[in-house]
Amino acid sequence: ALPGGLDAIDDLGLAATPEALSGALASALASPETDGVLAILTPQVNSDPLEAARQVAAQSKGSSKPVLASWMGGPAVEAGRQGASAVE
């Protein structure tokens, strides 16, 4: 179990739309019990790796906490890996 009621964001699974990932990241970053976040994306039916990368990059910019992201899935997530590195 995660502290502070953060259990709901432990595994978004099929609900891992870019918007859901962004909301989960915002909740985790806002929690005083969170020191940092590791966001992991694997291809799902509702996945949009590039938009998810953009959302994570945007959330990360405004935070003093470290955010690490891992897009796993080879060619299926390549756009997200490439897009995240282009976000400034």
Side-chain angles (χ1 to χ4, degrees):
L2 297 173
L6 297 176
D7 288 330
I9 63 171
D10 185 27
D11 181 6
L12 295 175
L14 293 176
T17 63
E19 297 78 19
L21 182 59
S22 178
L25 182 57
S27 294
L29 291 173
S31 173
E33 297 166 323
T34 303
D35 295 322
V37 176
L38 171 60
I40 301 172
L41 182 130
T42 59
Q44 302 292 324
V45 173
N46 296 324
S47 295
D48 180 345
L50 179 56
E51 184 55 30
R54 289 178 178 150
Q55 296 276 343
V56 169
Q59 290 282 345
S60 301
K61 282 186 177 184
S63 176
S64 61
K65 298 176 182 179
V67 176
L68 303 174
S70 176
W71 269 215
M72 299 169 48
V77 297
E78 186 63 29
R81 285 197 296 262
Q82 296 298 319
S85 63
V87 175
E88 303 222 6

